Amino acid sequence: MVGEEGAFVLGWDEVLTEEELSMTLKVLCMSEEEFKEYKEQDGWEDDSEEEENSTLSNEALSRLKTPCKKLLYDSVLLTLESYRADLKAEQDLLNNEAYKKLSRREQQALHVRYGQKMILHQLLELVK
């Protein structure tokens, strides 16, 4: 469901891999009975047009059902734990003299990590 990388792509305003995230949340939040029924009906390909045309904007993420929000929240926490430093430490480094001593490549990597963490923290707030 989530491709070879097993990851979802999030942007500032919406989920960029919305189809994969929608399907994953839908399946993971189903009861065992719902899953069996869904599978028996070949529901994988027969989702309604409404679902296909909906976007997972930030607003839509905040309106998800509680079990889906909890799943996303816990997943984001796990992802944030995989980083060596937290958001505050990255922000402090960006505003520190030590930043200027980093190579250009290290500065760019810091900006990327910081941006990723900002998006993840934004998602935490949306699904609280």
Side-chain angles (χ1 to χ4, degrees), residues 27-39:
V27 170
L28 291 176
C29 292
M30 286 180 179
S31 67
E32 187 176 345
E33 184 178 304
E34 289 171 325
F35 178 74
K36 285 180 183 176
E37 183 179 318
Y38 190 71
K39 190 175 172 184

Side-chain angles (χ1 to χ4, degrees), residues 111-124:
H111 282 281
V112 169
R113 283 193 316 271
Y114 182 74
Q116 290 170 339
K117 290 175 189 176
M118 289 290 295
I119 289 172
L120 290 170
H121 279 277
Q122 176 181 294
L123 182 56
L124 281 178

Side-chain angles (χ1 to χ4, degrees), residues 52-64:
E52 288 176 14
N53 294 329
S54 69
T55 61
L56 278 178
S57 64
N58 288 349
E59 184 181 326
L61 287 170
S62 66
R63 292 191 315 259
L64 288 172

Side-chain angles (χ1 to χ4, degrees), residues 3 18 31-32 38 43-44 47 68 101 116 128:
E18 63 187 271
S31 67
E32 187 176 345
Y38 190 71
W44 306 106
D47 285 340
C68 292
K101 295 179 183 176
Q116 290 170 339
K128 240 184 203 180

Side-chain angles (χ1 to χ4, degrees), residues 21 38 53 61 63 66 71 75 78-80 83 88 93 99 101 106 110 113 115 124:
L21 181 59
Y38 190 71
N53 294 329
L61 287 170
R63 292 191 315 259
T66 301
L71 182 62
S75 298
L78 284 172
T79 302
L80 286 169
Y83 288 97
K88 175 88 171 90
L93 183 55
Y99 174 78
K101 295 179 183 176
E106 289 170 323
L110 175 61
R113 283 193 316 271
L124 281 178

Side-chain angles (χ1 to χ4, degrees), residues 9-47:
V9 180
L10 306 170
W12 284 110
D13 300 317
E14 66 186 19
V15 177
L16 303 177
T17 54
E18 63 187 271
E19 185 177 327
E20 293 89 346
L21 181 59
S22 291
M23 182 59 68
T24 301
L25 289 174
K26 182 176 184 176
V27 170
L28 291 176
C29 292
M30 286 180 179
S31 67
E32 187 176 345
E33 184 178 304
E34 289 171 325
F35 178 74
K36 285 180 183 176
E37 183 179 318
Y38 190 71
K39 190 175 172 184
E40 287 172 4
Q41 293 178 359
D42 292 327
W44 306 106
E45 300 297 326
D46 296 336
D47 285 340

